[in-house]
């Protein structure tokens, strides 16, 4: 019973997601568009950017608005209502509106691109656009509705609303005396006061929202890392998939070894001599004075493979010579395709000389 409990505890521990995500899993998550990001940072920066845009381009915006509203009274009162005139008027106002909004759109696009690039770098993926039927699961929807993330989002929205309300109330309340004086002020001064107050509210609210957005980004990063964690078993499985199943790799290596042996056995009939131990080792040598600087090992083997080399040599009338120290030295110090080591030249030369004399006698 104690062993069973211990085994169960070990299995549970192995299944716990306690390890940091591997680079492979992080890459797969990034390809799916799953990265740590906060949508609050772009929204707060957009508000701040639009306010700054009004500060910088204030005279330009004033000129555009004044021009659009005064045009109808100065140049359009006696205009005949025809199809061409109405279309021309609509085109003119559409063009003026585009001119008015173009700086704002440009600033917004630049802020969105910069905010998301700083958070997650360059990322283009269409994975989030693919249909996912799992999202239609009502049970999963209820779980998400009453999950921890929903609570966090509710707290975040409530905090934003409370902070903005307090900030707006504080600024407006500080100007309560000026509001009472507006009735006696000229219209240009009223517009100037309202514009200044709006800019103050925009900058103050945007700054507070940006602070909250930084806190939200830190939470999103923590939550992302938490969800990305892996168990020890997950890491083992990933390593196994990356490196390949050891059983399959073993079979592949065995097949490669057999093919190499088959190719080696096909070279045995081309050997000039087989040097043996006589039973444990066999080394096949080939030498062509016109092509080779030294004799070359074209096959070698131990035990069963040595036996097969001797059998094939016998079938093809290749001379076999017993030389225990030379056979062992060649087997241990050379690989298939290697030339004979220099310190073994003398011994190999004597063997080849004997073989050539023997072949000469056979031919005679």
């Amino acid at each position: 019973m104690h062993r069973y409990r211990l085994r169960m505890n070990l299995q549970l521990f192995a299944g716990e997601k306690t390890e940091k995500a591997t680079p492979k899993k992080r890459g797969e998550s990034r390809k799916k568009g799953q990265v740590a990001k906060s949508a609050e940072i772009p929204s707060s920066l957009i508000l701040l950017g639009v306010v700054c845009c009004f500060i910088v381009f204030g005279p330009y915006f004033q000129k555009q608005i004044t021009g659009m509203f005064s045009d109808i009274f100065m140049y359009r009162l006696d205009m005949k209502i025809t199809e061409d005139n109405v279309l021309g008027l609509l085109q003119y106002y559409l063009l003026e509106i585009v001119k008015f909004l173009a700086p704002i759109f440009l600033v917004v696009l630049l802020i969105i691109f910069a905010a998301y690039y700083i958070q997650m770098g360059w990322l283009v993926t269409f994975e989030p656009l693919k249909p996912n039927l799992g999202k239609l699961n009502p049970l999963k929807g209820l779980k998400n509705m009453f999950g921890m993330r929903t609570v966090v989002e509710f707290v975040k929205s409530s905090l934003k609303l409370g902070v903005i309300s307090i900030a707006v109330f504080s600024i407006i309340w500080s100007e309560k005396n000026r509001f009472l004086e507006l009735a006696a002020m000229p219209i240009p001064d009223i517009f100037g006061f309202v514009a200044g107050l709006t800019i103050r509210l925009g900058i103050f609210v945007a700054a507070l929202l940006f602070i909250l957005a930084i806190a939200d980004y830190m939470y999103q990063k923590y939550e992302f890392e938490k969800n990305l964690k892996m168990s020890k078993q997950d890491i083992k499985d990933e390593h196994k998939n990356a490196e390949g199943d050891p059983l399959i790799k073993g079979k592949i290596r065995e097949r490669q070894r057999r093919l190499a042996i088959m190719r080696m056995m096909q070279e045995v009939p081309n050997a000039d001599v087989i040097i043996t131990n006589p039973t444990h080792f066999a080394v096949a040598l080939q030498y062509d004075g016109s092509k080779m600087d030294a004799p070359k090992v074209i096959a070698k083997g131990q035990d069963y493979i040595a036996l097969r080399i001797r059998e094939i040599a016998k079938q093809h009338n290749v001379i076999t010579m017993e030389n225990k120290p030379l056979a062992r030295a060649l087997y241990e110090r050379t690989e298939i395709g290697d030339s004979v080591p220099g310190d073994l030249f003398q011994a190999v030369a004597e063997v080849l000389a004997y073989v050539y004399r023997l072949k000469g006698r056979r031919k005679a």
Side-chain angles (χ1 to χ4, degrees):
M1 187 68 180
H2 177 71
R3 291 181 179 178
Y4 174 76
R5 289 180 179 177
L6 180 61
R7 185 165 61 250
M8 291 297 294
N9 290 334
L10 289 174
Q11 290 177 355
L12 290 174
F13 178 75
E16 291 181 358
K17 298 183 180 296
T18 57
E19 307 300 316
K20 289 185 178 180
T22 60
K24 182 175 183 295
K25 185 171 183 181
R26 290 181 184 277
E28 292 176 351
S29 177
R30 184 175 178 82
K31 288 180 181 178
K32 296 177 182 178
Q34 299 172 356
V35 292
K37 63 182 183 296
S38 172
E40 304 299 329
I41 291 180
S43 60
S44 61
L45 290 178
I46 286 172
L47 178 59
L48 183 62
V50 170
V51 173
C52 293
C53 190
F54 276 108
I55 295 174
V56 175
F57 297 100
Y60 171 77
F61 291 148
Q62 181 182 6
K63 179 182 176 182
Q64 289 295 114
I65 294 174
T66 304
M68 283 190 293
F69 279 96
S70 61
D71 177 78
I72 192 71
F73 295 103
M74 296 177 64
Y75 307 110
R76 311 289 181 176
L77 290 178
D78 57 348
M79 184 185 70
K80 293 182 180 181
I81 308 301
T82 63
E83 182 178 353
D84 293 337
N85 290 339
V86 172
L87 289 177
L89 181 64
L90 292 177
Q91 291 176 358
Y92 169 77
Y93 279 112
L94 181 62
L95 181 61
E96 292 299 314
I97 292 172
V98 170
K99 290 180 180 178
F100 175 78
L101 296 178
I104 299 176
F105 284 156
L106 182 61
V107 169
V108 169
L109 289 175
L110 290 176
I111 289 175
I112 291 175
F113 178 81
Y116 279 109
Y117 181 79
I118 291 173
Q119 290 187 81
M120 56 187 184
W122 180 256
L123 176 62
V124 178
T125 178
F126 298 99
E127 285 290 331
L129 301 179
K130 292 182 179 180
N132 186 3
L133 298 179
K135 295 181 179 180
L136 302 178
N137 188 349
L139 297 178
K140 188 175 181 180
L142 290 174
K143 182 180 178 181
N144 294 332
M145 187 179 298
F146 297 102
M148 186 64 185
R149 177 173 289 274
T150 305
V151 175
V152 172
E153 292 296 326
F154 174 76
V155 172
K156 184 174 66 176
S157 300
S158 302
L159 186 61
K160 285 170 54 179
L161 181 61
V163 168
I164 293 173
S165 301
I166 294 173
V168 172
F169 176 78
S170 300
I171 293 176
I172 293 178
W173 185 256
S174 66
E175 299 289 343
K176 61 182 183 298
N177 295 329
R178 293 288 302 276
F179 279 105
L180 298 176
E181 299 173 358
L182 289 178
M185 293 174 61
I187 292 179
D189 293 343
I190 294 175
F191 277 110
F193 169 74
V194 173
L197 183 63
T198 303
I199 289 174
R200 283 177 57 196
L201 283 172
I203 293 177
F204 194 68
V205 170
L208 291 176
L209 289 179
F210 183 71
I211 295 173
L212 294 177
I214 294 297
D216 178 63
Y217 174 73
M218 294 175 66
Y219 169 76
Q220 297 293 344
K221 191 172 182 63
Y222 163 77
E223 190 71 14
F224 175 75
E225 292 292 336
K226 180 182 176 182
N227 293 332
L228 209 62
K229 281 187 175 181
M230 305 171 66
S231 65
K232 294 182 182 296
Q233 186 62 40
D234 292 337
I235 295 177
K236 290 180 180 178
D237 293 341
E238 181 184 293
H239 181 73
K240 182 186 294 185
N241 293 332
E243 297 294 331
D245 193 334
L247 183 61
I248 296 176
K249 289 179 67 177
K251 290 182 178 179
I252 293 174
R253 284 196 296 267
E254 178 64 21
R255 184 174 180 84
Q256 291 174 342
R257 190 178 69 86
R258 290 180 179 177
L259 291 174
I261 292 174
M262 289 176 60
R263 288 193 298 270
M264 182 182 70
M265 293 302 181
Q266 292 174 357
E267 293 293 326
V268 172
N270 300 325
D272 291 315
V273 64
I274 308 296
I275 302 176
T276 64
N277 193 26
T279 57
H280 294 295
F281 300 101
V283 180
L285 298 178
Q286 183 186 40
Y287 179 64
D288 185 349
S290 61
K291 299 179 180 179
M292 303 177 186
D293 296 330
K296 183 173 67 173
V297 176
I298 61 173
K300 70 172 189 175
Q302 185 178 8
D303 298 333
Y304 174 74
I305 297 178
L307 176 62
R308 287 291 300 148
I309 291 174
R310 292 196 303 271
E311 290 176 352
I312 296 175
K314 186 177 181 180
Q315 293 172 5
H316 293 83
N317 296 321
V318 178
I319 297 174
T320 301
M321 288 192 62
E322 179 181 339
N323 190 325
K324 295 181 180 180
L326 182 59
R328 180 180 289 273
L330 289 172
Y331 181 85
E332 293 177 352
R333 296 174 56 185
T334 59
E335 297 295 334
I336 306 299
D338 290 351
S339 297
V340 172
D343 58 332
L344 300 179
F345 277 178
Q346 182 65 33
V348 172
E350 293 176 359
V351 171
L352 289 175
Y354 174 78
V355 169
Y356 293 151
R357 287 198 300 270
L358 190 59
K359 286 183 177 180
R361 292 174 187 173
R362 287 183 178 178
K363 290 180 180 179

